[in-house]
Amino acid sequence: GNLLSFAGIFKAMQTFLRTNILPTIMDDEEVERRKSKVTEMFEGMKSSAFPNTEDITVVQLKQMQESSQDPQLVLVDVRTPDELRVSMIPGSINKEEFERNEMSSYVGSTVVVYCTIGYRSGKYVEKLSRAGLSAVNLKGSILDWSLEGYSLVDVSSGESRPTTRVHVYGKNWNLVGREYQAVWHRKPLIIQVIIDYIKGWMYGS
């Protein structure tokens, strides 16, 4: 029993040491600056990595959800389990849940895909489009969603509970909305070294 208790405490300490949580308090000018930055980053990614994908804004998605104008709307979160455990957009399912069904079962649906800012979701939309589905990328993804002040939920316990925490993937992506908390997990040093090596090999830096 003592050993199990120690293991639990040790795991909790590891999580605490690997996690950064920053509350965000800002004025309207800073909100607009962050929106512009997210748009700039997204457009740069789109032009080089998935220029032909169709996008919708978070405002458009919110209107679709509230008006029920598209009863066949399927909202898919393609982020990692660590990110999903922090928060999700209400009504969304993860990639694993989505892929349990045959792709043909989504014919006639509008599949909206999101991630942190729109890169991973953009690549996934390309894949879905090649499979013949009507798929669109959520521009700015969960960062833009938070910047509009829309609600998020924590489903890590099996129940859907409101939360203001947003996983932002890394410190440089801390562009969340007003009164939201930016969360990210530090990578072990060896993982960061490998990532830096791959980036250097890919981009010649």
Side-chain angles (χ1 to χ4, degrees):
N2 290 336
L3 182 60
L4 289 175
S5 296
F6 177 77
I9 293 171
F10 181 69
K11 184 177 180 180
M13 289 178 64
Q14 281 186 313
T15 301
F16 176 77
L17 290 172
R18 290 188 296 109
T19 304
N20 300 264
I21 302 177
L22 294 178
T24 306
I25 301 174
M26 66 191 78
D27 56 20
D28 291 344
E29 184 177 342
E30 176 61 14
V31 171
E32 292 305 315
R33 186 195 71 80
R34 291 186 177 211
K35 285 182 180 181
S36 296
K37 181 63 176 177
V38 169
T39 298
E40 177 187 343
M41 293 170 68
F42 174 81
E43 294 296 345
M45 294 171 185
K46 178 180 172 67
S47 64
S48 61
F50 41 91
N52 299 317
T53 58
E54 184 179 346
D55 313 316
I56 65 169
T57 67
V58 296
V59 174
Q60 290 173 314
L61 172 60
K62 185 68 171 174
Q63 290 172 342
M64 290 169 68
Q65 290 180 321
E66 292 179 342
S67 66
S68 299
Q69 68 184 58
D70 191 343
Q72 300 299 316
L73 173 67
V74 181
L75 182 58
V76 184
D77 189 327
V78 295
R79 297 174 301 151
T80 65
D82 271 350
E83 294 169 281
L84 295 171
R85 279 190 286 269
V86 174
S87 64
M88 298 175 70
I89 294 176
S92 61
I93 60 174
N94 62 44
K95 182 180 175 182
E96 181 181 356
E97 291 177 279
F98 177 76
E99 292 183 348
R100 284 188 192 136
N101 298 316
E102 294 290 335
M103 287 295 172
S104 59
S105 68
Y106 297 110
V107 173
S109 299
T110 299
V111 182
V112 179
V113 189
Y114 76 92
C115 57
T116 301
I117 195 169
Y119 179 83
R120 287 172 288 175
S121 50
K123 300 301 291 183
Y124 195 62
V125 164
E126 281 189 323
K127 175 183 175 180
L128 297 182
S129 297
R130 287 195 297 268
L133 297 185
S134 175
V136 296
N137 191 13
L138 185 60
K139 180 179 179 179
S141 285
I142 203 168
L143 288 180
D144 254 351
W145 185 267
S146 73
L147 283 163
E148 289 295 334
Y150 298 150
S151 63
L152 294 168
V153 291
D154 176 352
V155 298
S156 59
S157 66
E159 298 180 1
S160 182
R161 298 176 298 179
T163 183
T164 58
R165 300 168 78 237
V166 185
H167 196 295
V168 297
Y169 197 70
K171 185 176 181 179
N172 293 336
W173 300 67
N174 182 11
L175 296 166
V176 298
R178 196 193 330 261
E179 298 179 5
Y180 283 82
Q181 293 175 309
V183 178
W184 67 93
H185 296 86
R186 292 176 180 166
K187 302 179 184 70
L189 180 59
I190 184 62
I191 299 298
Q192 188 61 58
V193 169
I194 292 171
I195 290 174
D196 289 343
Y197 175 82
I198 292 173
K199 285 182 178 178
W201 175 75
M202 290 178 63
Y203 301 109
S205 57

